[in-house]
Amino acid sequence: MTSTTLAPDLQAKLDHLRAIIRACGSALVAYSGGIDSTLVLAVAHEQLGDKALACIGVSPSYPRRELEEAIAIAREIGAAYRLVETNEHLNPNYAANPVNRCYFCKSTLHSHLVAIAREEGWNAILDGANASDVGDFRPGMQAAREKGVRSPLLEANITKPEVRAIARALGLRIWDKPAMACLSSRVPHGTPITPDLLRQIEAAEDTLVALGFRQFRVRHHGEIARIELASDELLRAIEQREAIVAGVRAAGYRFVTLDLAGYQRGSMNAIHVARDDIRTRKPIS
């Protein structure tokens, strides 16, 4: 893999990333098919060859379309991959959907990867956290640190825009792929997470995918589906409202609404809960 059209400072960061991953000797990559973990996987495959393995966590919160694309991208890179059934919804702490739900999700995934690494002799576990994630509320990063998972993008001080620039230079076709959080992020905190609920949300979002929308969320509010779209796609949604309504209702919603504020990352977070309180919240016994 060779890079092109990178500024010297960004090339230096890519070289640093390569050195960090090469020094691991062998690594499991917590891989979702998003651009961050895809870049880590691509560089890991470049530097480690068959000593790099993509591990894809499979659960009801991970859309089938995302799984299929992740597999396709791993094959394009030439990297080996493995599907890892996580079943985090069976954990009552996760299923209760507290504000720090992501902690329990990532803890479950990383526990599986730690077990694989120990049993098979992998030296490191890598994830796709980057420098832009620092300071944001990301309880999953806490879980990763507790399990000894490394974040080479963060270690190389590579930000999200830089991830995209490097990925584009390396020829990764998803360099501009919109962020795609798990399906549980569409549900208000405190509303229990169940596989049936996640399948309902996935079916509703599949309607938007089929109609060509790229940046979207279907936020779940009981019988109401609140659709968030990128601002430049709102008018097109009005034009295609009949198809959207039909598809979302077929998924099980009675009312279909379009949020005029547009797509907002993390809009379901209960921001009134203090972060210190979140971090000290005890698991359900």
Side-chain angles (χ1 to χ4, degrees), residues 196-211:
D196 285 345
L197 174 56
L198 297 176
R199 281 191 288 268
Q200 179 181 1
I201 297 169
E202 181 176 4
E205 292 195 344
D206 282 346
T207 294
L208 300 177
V209 173
L211 292 172

Side-chain angles (χ1 to χ4, degrees), residues 16-281:
H16 189 194
L17 176 66
R18 285 169 164 158
I20 290 169
I21 293 177
R22 183 168 60 249
C24 292
S26 66
L28 301 176
V29 178
Y31 169 67
S32 67
I35 187 55
D36 302 316
S37 62
T38 295
L39 178 57
V40 173
L41 177 61
V43 175
H45 177 67
E46 172 197 75
Q47 297 297 313
L48 302 175
D50 60 5
K51 293 183 179 180
L53 176 66
C55 291
I56 307 173
V58 181
S59 77
S61 68
Y62 187 46
R64 182 71 188 183
R65 62 180 181 276
E66 291 293 310
L67 172 60
E68 292 173 353
E69 183 173 47
I71 291 173
I73 294 167
R75 288 173 174 168
E76 290 171 15
I77 292 170
Y81 66 88
R82 182 182 302 178
L83 305 185
V84 179
E85 296 284 347
T86 55
N87 294 314
E88 65 271 7
H89 62 283
L90 299 179
N91 180 341
N93 295 300
Y94 172 90
N97 196 16
V99 179
N100 60 340
R101 177 196 65 245
C102 292
Y103 172 85
F104 301 107
C105 175
K106 293 299 185 183
S107 183
T108 299
L109 170 63
H110 296 323
S111 293
H112 283 288
L113 300 188
V114 166
I116 293 172
R118 288 175 177 171
E119 292 172 6
E120 301 179 8
W122 298 92
N123 292 340
I125 302 170
L126 310 178
D127 72 9
N130 62 70
S132 295
D133 296 328
V134 176
D136 195 4
F137 174 56
R138 290 182 176 268
M141 291 181 68
Q142 176 188 345
R145 298 294 84 81
E146 290 175 358
K147 299 297 183 181
V149 176
R150 294 181 62 181
S151 303
L153 296 173
L154 179 56
E155 292 179 30
N157 196 31
I158 297 174
T159 65
K160 184 73 168 190
E162 291 171 335
V163 166
R164 294 193 184 280
I166 292 172
R168 185 178 188 179
L170 295 182
L172 297 175
R173 65 173 172 84
I174 63 162
W175 66 269
D176 63 344
K177 179 180 179 179
M180 180 58 69
C182 79
L183 292 172
S184 296
S185 67
R186 281 62 156 167
V187 184
H189 295 296
T191 299
I193 300 294
T194 67
D196 285 345
L197 174 56
L198 297 176
R199 281 191 288 268
Q200 179 181 1
I201 297 169
E202 181 176 4
E205 292 195 344
D206 282 346
T207 294
L208 300 177
V209 173
L211 292 172
F213 293 96
R214 296 189 74 238
Q215 183 73 77
F216 56 80
R217 298 288 187 270
V218 173
R219 306 296 188 183
H220 175 87
H221 300 278
E223 294 183 318
I224 302 171
R226 176 171 59 86
I227 300 173
E228 295 180 4
L229 297 171
S231 58
D232 61 354
E233 294 188 310
L234 290 175
L235 289 178
R236 186 160 67 86
I238 298 299
E239 295 170 355
Q240 296 183 283
R241 67 184 183 85
E242 292 184 359
I244 293 173
V245 169
V248 175
R249 281 183 174 170
Y253 290 99
R254 184 177 180 186
F255 303 103
V256 183
T257 68
L258 179 63
D259 193 328
L260 297 182
Y263 166 70
Q264 301 177 67
R265 177 181 173 186
S267 69
M268 298 298 263
N269 288 338
I271 59 175
H272 64 280
V273 180
R275 289 186 179 182
D276 287 344
D277 176 62
I278 293 168
R279 295 190 182 101
T280 57
R281 181 173 298 184

